[in-house]
Amino acid sequence: MRRSALRLIATKEILDTLRDRRTLFVSLILPLLLYPALLLGLTQIIGTTQRNLLLEHQRVILVGEAPEAVVNHLRAEKLDPVPADTEEKGLSARLLDELAEVEEGEAPEGGRARLRDLLTGRKLAGALVFREGFAGLLRQDKRAKAVLLHDPTDDASKAARGKMAEALRKFEVLCRDDLLRRFPGDEERLRFAEAPVARAEVEVASSSQKGAHSFAPLLGMLIVIMALTGAFYPAVDLAAGEKERGTLETLLVAPVTRTEIVLGKFAAVWVIAVVTALLNLVVMGLTFSKVAGMIGGGKIAFSLSFGAAATVCAILVPTAALFSAVALALSSFATSYKEGQHYMSPLFLVATPLAMVGLLPNVEIGYTLAVVPVANVVLLVKSMLLGSDAAGPALVAFGAMALYAALSLGFAVAVFRREAVLFRTGAGRGFDPASLRAAREGLPRAGPGFLLYFASIAVMFFLSSRVETTGQAIWALLKAQLLAVLLPTAVFALHLRLDLRATFALFRPRWAAIPPVVVGAVAALLLVLAFQTYVVPAPREVTEFEQLMKKIFELPRWQLYLLLAVLPPVCEELLCRGFLLSSFRARFGDGLAILFSALLFGGLHLDVHRVPATTLAGLALGYIRLRTGSIVPAILFHMIYNGIIATPELHPFLDRPPPSAIAAAAVALLGSAVWLRLVERRVAPPDAEPAAERVDNP
Amino acid sequence: MIEAEGLTKIFFDPKRGGEFRAVEEISFTCRPGRIFGLLGPNGAGKTTTLRILATSLVPTAGRAAIDGIDVVKDPAAARARLGFCTGATGIYERLTPREMIRYFGRLYGSPEDAVERRVEELLDLFALRPYADTFCGRLSAGNRQKVSLARTIVHDPPVLVFDEPTTSLDVLVARTVTEFVADCRARGRTVILSTHIMSEVEKLCDDVAILHRGRILLHGPVAEVKERAGVSSIEDLFFSLVREA
């Protein structure tokens, strides 16, 4: 690969795009003009409200003995202080109780919510609590404690908080001046005079109420959308548009490699996407600080630490790279600009919900979510804006995004090297819904495979319900396996008139293949559990899956095994190692077919936290199915795997497998793979006779 | 010089019932200073053959060489000796003719000053100087085609491949193209040209191969094949062959 060719192509593509008024306008100019106007209007409304709040009086209550000076300062700050017990008898006692719960109790979140109710129910914007002997301590030159209660989700309370803090500060200045006047040059007293009041603040909203209120998640989403649109239009133009205009072929006959062409185009799209998003960010930031400065009179600030701003900009780089590569690959399939736009809809469909994860209250970046593409970006931006510390997950998020970008770029290069993709011509030769029905030689094609999978997921999702009793748990499992997995698989197979035996690999396995599969199943389970315990720990809260399992374990043993160790292995294997694997083989080859069927198997459980573990198991299952040419060993593997999980006696051992057992399992798994390889020497081609028949007719 | 030996290309196309043999076992040779015509109806395999020569498609079987360079083993070197132009190849509408020619000159790896000299030369050759700095998108159809031809020979290739170069062009523009093709022969280049227009073969070509359903039915010098078959025109020859096949 020559760097000069790459740079030449990239430079030309950037120039070409900059001269394309349509692309330039939609992806760059329009957002630049639109966002400031939108934000200006929005922030002006917010700003006016804020300013009014600063001018208006808010009622706050005082708990404990309030020094006269503080009360006067509160009044000067446009607050109406009311002693708590004047407002309502016993209010101060109740407030102090809840405050103690928040500060020392076991359920601070509940205490916060109740404190909030106490205040908002009486139209109070905040409270100032003077601890026992406040004035007396100050008189003895000892530090006195005051607690400031405010509601960060309420604008009036936010204004009141600022005013209360200001009043306390002025009171402190007063104390200090008094001290310095009385004891000039007294070192010890001078130190005390720096902060005579120990001020604490308590937010009376639970963290979920707070998160939902913040602007932070929105910014992350905007960044993702800007990077996506920034990549979208140039990518469609440079791949599909170039095909349509007949210029791609001239590039292909020039002495540059296809990899150089893709990388050059990718670099151009990437640069444009990053610049678009950065410009948008800058304009947004400027608008914000301008508006905030104009109306807040310095009391409202929109500021971002340099580190946080740099992180936000930096995460844009791999994000834009990912979108650029995916968009380029997708639009390469299209023969025209218009068709290219059709192919982009799925990208938006996938990216938008992921970008909205940041809007969910209470969701913060952790190691698990840091590997979820797009969602990790949004959550990282959110945590940066909220000033929370998440250096570890942030690094993981960067690494994960860079990895996804590299993989997508590899995919784009692979797509571009395919003759069938590059020389696809004319209308109707691209994606055709009819192709989803196509079957070849009794085996399903990849299109119906994907369609079946998503149909199955959809059915499962709509059938899912809350599990509270054991009966409901049984019903939930039966519904999921029979109606969502087995039924759609059967309907698809019959409708497409598939060769059922070949598609589902319904052949008798060789006996010799059974022992390695059994050993492998036990070893794989141990490794997966170790992976779950040490590498990707499941979240601490009880998931719906665990809720369901708890109920299921109350059943008699035979029913338990039937529901966990027989039904799911049969149904899920028929779908994943039967239909899906068969449908992917002709299109993607054996390796990728195993990988895709494993990933989809991982996703089948509708539980993000279980995806890595189930995907790993899926890889082993796919390998077994192809190696043995039969689905039976895969079902057996799955049964043993689930059977062990369904045996409560083994749980203490399984929950924390000792390192020696993990090491032994790793060796055993490797050994059983080699064993299986020795027993089954060849992998049956997609439509060839299976191993069993080969043995019957030597 | 172009040599093709037993070229076969099989596509997988479910809509045509699985495997589809676009060209099968075709062999021919095109010599310098002569124009070789590949004549056939739509779908005969002309474009596939020329794309294999241009290294855009990899043959399923057989070999092809441009000036002795194998197109599969060293595609970049083969491409460097080859100019490729079709009726459908476009130009970058948002570049000017000067930028367009310069871009391709650089892609072919010529030194910077040589590229600049060549750009000026070609602008004069095709009388494009008045429009040199106008976006290609604003040029007339004739001038656009001239830019396309200038792009084709920016690296002064000894071998030229034209795939139905006059299709979808109006008569005046088509004339520019056929004159250019004839000029290439005069300069001693090897030219291969595919077409379904009989008169073009008659007027331009020295040698002809008639391609039908992926196979070459007949080939040789134009005058000779006509004489052998005892027909007065290529058109008669073509229809008699296709009827037999």
Side-chain angles (χ1 to χ4, degrees), chain A residues 176-293:
Chain A
R176 191 182 317 154
D177 291 349
D178 180 47
L179 269 173
L180 291 176
R181 207 181 53 242
R182 283 190 289 143
F183 306 99
D186 185 331
E187 284 286 316
E188 198 181 328
R189 284 208 165 79
L190 214 60
R191 252 201 310 280
F192 161 70
E194 285 295 310
V197 177
R199 200 180 84 202
E201 287 192 15
V202 170
E203 296 180 341
V204 298
S206 62
S207 51
S208 62
Q209 292 162 330
K210 230 166 47 193
H213 191 75
S214 170
F215 170 73
L218 212 61
L219 185 68
M221 202 173 114
L222 279 178
I223 288 175
V224 165
I225 291 173
M226 287 183 300
L228 188 54
T229 44
F232 174 90
Y233 291 100
V236 178
D237 191 58
L238 295 189
E242 180 137 23
K243 255 199 231 180
E244 186 178 20
R245 292 187 295 268
T247 46
L248 186 62
E249 199 161 4
T250 62
L251 203 51
L252 292 176
V253 295
V256 283
T257 65
R258 292 191 186 166
T259 309
E260 282 166 350
I261 298 176
V262 184
L263 293 183
K265 284 179 181 292
F266 164 76
V269 177
W270 189 16
V271 167
I272 293 165
V274 169
V275 170
T276 308
L278 273 182
L279 277 179
N280 275 284
L281 264 186
V282 169
V283 171
M284 244 205 274
L286 286 179
T287 317
F288 256 113
S289 40
K290 173 100 183 137
V291 172

Side-chain angles (χ1 to χ4, degrees), chain A residues 16 19 237 242 246 258 419, chain B residues 9 56 58 90 92 94 99:
Chain A
D16 202 351
R19 283 182 182 169
D237 191 58
E242 180 137 23
R258 292 191 186 166
E419 289 176 356
Chain B
K9 179 69 184 177
S56 308
V58 177
Y92 291 110
R94 296 185 293 265
E99 287 168 339

Side-chain angles (χ1 to χ4, degrees), chain A residues 66-74 76 134 138-139 141 165-183 189 192-197:
Chain A
E68 188 63 32
V70 178
V71 177
N72 288 337
H73 278 303
L74 287 174
F134 185 87
L138 281 180
R139 269 197 295 277
D141 298 337
E166 184 63 18
L168 275 180
R169 198 186 61 79
K170 286 185 176 154
F171 173 68
E172 280 190 296
V173 173
L174 209 70
C175 291
R176 191 182 317 154
D177 291 349
D178 180 47
L179 269 173
L180 291 176
R181 207 181 53 242
R182 283 190 289 143
F183 306 99
R189 284 208 165 79
F192 161 70
E194 285 295 310
V197 177

Side-chain angles (χ1 to χ4, degrees), chain A residues 52-67:
Chain A
N52 288 342
L53 285 170
L54 292 175
L55 295 174
E56 275 169 14
H57 285 241
Q58 285 96 24
R59 278 174 7 108
V60 293
I61 48 165
L62 305 175
V63 181
E65 39 164 342

Side-chain angles (χ1 to χ4, degrees), chain A residues 109 116 151-155 158 203 205-219 356-364 379 382 386:
Chain A
E109 293 293 293
R116 184 165 180 247
D151 179 356
T153 68
D154 177 58
D155 288 328
K158 274 201 261 182
E203 296 180 341
S206 62
S207 51
S208 62
Q209 292 162 330
K210 230 166 47 193
H213 191 75
S214 170
F215 170 73
L218 212 61
L219 185 68
M356 282 166 75
V357 166
L359 297 179
L360 299 174
N362 243 350
V363 177
E364 271 160 38
L379 292 174
K382 181 172 158 185
L386 293 177

